[in-house]
């Protein structure tokens, strides 16, 4: 007890709580936000398994430091730099996807969006109708399909893996491309604007561990290209005949024709004036229906 009293008398005066500023709280919130999103991202990659191993190693190092195991600490100190470099090399694909994901976020959309919206948008209403019609028809007969629609991110590197088509988007052309036992049915179709640019294109497969094991290569390719670009991918399952959409690394399954049409309109990027005109027309139609009733 005397030793404790002596310690408090000599050290209590030097102990003090630092003043917490508003900026410190903001800084802590930013750090917490970053750590949370890094952990959420890591959970869907190989980094999650690697982090578990790192935690075990850190605990081992703490124990070594507590018992002053100088040899182990010397080894850790000299190997640390090499280990960090090795981790960067091993996780290069995941780090690249993460940086590309940050680059695709619309943080400064207003400042860096040089692509002006037109009355028709990226593609016309006719193109939407043709894509929806083709997907519904292929779903009925369980014809597998993989359709990638380009937005701002260029898909040129994937186009080069396929065969040039350069044809106007029509439901008949899409159905013929994906018809069984035809030369062009295997692989993805890429659409830019109102034209089909390429067919039989190879896409990167997603390594997202949260995707269901029942999903095949077609779905993983659709999610994979949506992880590294801002494209929207439509997948028609050959096994179930269900229509799915992959966008920003997320997979939405079992869409009907109306939901698919809605998802396509969301990326159409029409002018605000055109959207306002459509809203006015819809309101007028609703009023007319109300009067008729």
């Amino acid at each position: 007890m005397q030793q404790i009293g002596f310690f408090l008398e000599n050290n209590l005066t030097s102990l003090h709580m630092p003043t917490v500023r508003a900026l410190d709280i903001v800084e802590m919130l930013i750090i917490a936000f970053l750590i949370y999103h890094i952990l959420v991202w890591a959970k869907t990659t190989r980094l999650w398994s690697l982090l578990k191993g790192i935690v075990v190693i850190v605990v081992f190092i703490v124990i070594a430091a507590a018992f002053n195991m100088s040899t182990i600490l010397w080894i850790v100190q000299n190997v640390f730099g090499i280990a960090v470099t090795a981790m960067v090399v091993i996780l290069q694909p995941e780090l690249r996807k993460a940086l590309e994901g940050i680059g695709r976020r619309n943080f400064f959309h207003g400042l860096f969006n040089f692509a002006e919206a037109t009355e028709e948008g990226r593609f016309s209403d006719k193109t939407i109708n043709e894509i929806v019609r083709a997907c519904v028809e292929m779903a009925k007969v369980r014809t597998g399909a993989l359709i990638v629609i380009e937005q701002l991110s260029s898909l040129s590197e994937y186009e080069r893996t396929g065969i040039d088509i350069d044809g106007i988007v029509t439901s008949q052309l899409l159905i013929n491309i994906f018809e069984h036992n035809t030369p062009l049915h295997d692989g993805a179709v890429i659409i830019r604007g109102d034209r089909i640019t390429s067919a039989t294109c190879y896409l990167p497969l997603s390594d997202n561990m949260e995707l269901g094991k029942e999903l095949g290569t077609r779905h993983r390719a659709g999610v994979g290209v949506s992880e590294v670009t801002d494209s929207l991918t439509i997948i028609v399952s050959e096994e179930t005949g269900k229509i799915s959409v992959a966008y920003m690394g997320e997979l939405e399954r079992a869409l009907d024709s109306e939901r698919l049409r809605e998802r396509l309109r969301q990326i159409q990027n029409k002018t605000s004036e055109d959207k306002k005109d459509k809203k006015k027309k819809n309101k007028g139609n609703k009023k007319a229906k109300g009067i008729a009733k």
Side-chain angles (χ1 to χ4, degrees):
M1 289 297 292
Q2 290 179 350
Q3 291 178 344
I4 295 172
F6 178 77
F7 174 80
L8 291 174
E9 286 178 7
N10 285 276
N11 295 282
L12 192 59
T13 54
S14 63
L15 295 174
H16 68 279
M17 284 292 293
T19 56
V20 180
R21 302 171 299 165
L23 193 61
D24 295 329
I25 296 173
V26 173
E27 192 174 6
M28 287 188 289
L29 290 173
I30 291 172
I31 293 171
F33 175 82
L34 290 174
I35 292 173
Y36 170 76
H37 281 278
I38 288 170
L39 290 174
V40 169
W41 164 72
K43 198 172 181 180
T44 62
T45 66
R46 290 179 297 174
L47 182 60
W48 189 249
S49 299
L50 194 62
L51 282 175
K52 295 177 182 177
I54 291 172
V55 169
V56 173
I57 293 171
V58 169
V59 171
F60 179 73
I61 292 170
V62 170
I63 293 171
F67 289 97
N68 196 23
M69 299 177 181
S70 55
T71 305
I72 293 175
L73 294 175
W74 180 86
I75 293 171
V76 170
Q77 186 177 357
N78 287 274
V79 172
F80 183 77
I82 301 171
V84 172
T85 306
M87 281 183 59
V88 172
V89 173
I90 293 168
L91 298 174
Q92 187 269 337
E94 283 78 9
L95 292 172
R96 180 185 172 186
K97 286 181 182 179
L99 292 174
E100 286 175 342
I102 293 171
R104 287 190 284 115
R105 300 292 179 185
N106 293 325
F107 297 119
F108 306 103
H109 183 73
L111 294 175
F112 299 106
N113 184 24
F114 300 108
E116 293 184 0
T118 62
E119 282 191 15
E120 287 294 338
R122 291 193 178 93
F123 41 84
S124 65
D125 290 340
K126 181 178 182 296
T127 295
I128 291 178
N129 293 332
E130 295 293 332
I131 293 172
V132 172
R133 186 180 299 116
C135 291
V136 170
E137 290 299 321
M138 288 187 287
K140 286 179 181 176
V141 294
R142 297 193 177 184
T143 298
L146 187 57
I147 303 169
V148 186
I149 302 169
E150 185 183 78
Q151 291 200 81
L152 296 177
S153 300
S154 175
L155 298 174
S156 299
E157 63 175 300
Y158 306 114
E159 287 178 20
R160 288 194 288 270
T161 65
I163 298 172
D164 293 338
I165 300 295
D166 193 25
I168 295 173
V169 176
T170 63
S171 58
Q172 294 89 345
L173 179 56
L174 286 170
I175 292 170
N176 286 337
I177 287 173
F178 290 110
E179 188 65 37
H180 293 290
N181 302 322
T182 57
L184 301 178
H185 85 283
D186 194 19
V189 158
I190 293 177
I191 294 177
R192 179 182 297 118
D194 294 320
R195 303 188 74 82
I196 299 173
T197 61
S198 299
T200 70
C201 300
Y202 293 102
L203 304 177
L205 299 180
S206 173
D207 56 2
N208 188 340
M209 294 183 290
E210 291 187 353
L211 291 176
K213 292 185 178 180
E214 73 278 5
L215 299 177
T217 306
R218 187 176 285 114
H219 287 81
R220 289 194 171 273
V223 175
V225 74
S226 75
E227 289 174 341
V228 296
T229 69
D230 64 352
S231 61
L232 182 142
T233 306
I234 304 170
I235 308 110
V236 180
S237 173
E238 190 173 350
E239 289 75 22
T240 63
K242 292 181 179 179
I243 301 172
S244 303
V245 164
Y247 186 62
M248 292 293 185
E250 299 292 331
L251 185 66
E252 186 178 354
R253 303 175 65 182
L255 278 72
D256 57 14
S257 60
E258 288 306 313
R259 178 57 182 161
L260 177 59
R261 195 184 307 275
E262 182 186 339
R263 296 293 281 112
L264 289 170
R265 289 196 188 283
Q266 288 172 357
I267 65 164
Q268 194 176 10
N269 195 31
K270 281 195 172 186
T271 56
S272 56
E273 289 81 5
D274 189 67
K275 289 178 180 177
K276 286 177 183 177
D277 291 340
K278 284 208 163 189
K279 285 182 179 178
K280 287 179 181 178
K281 286 180 183 178
N282 290 334
K283 286 181 180 179
N285 292 335
K286 287 179 180 178
K287 286 180 180 179
K289 287 179 180 177
I291 293 169
K293 287 180 180 178

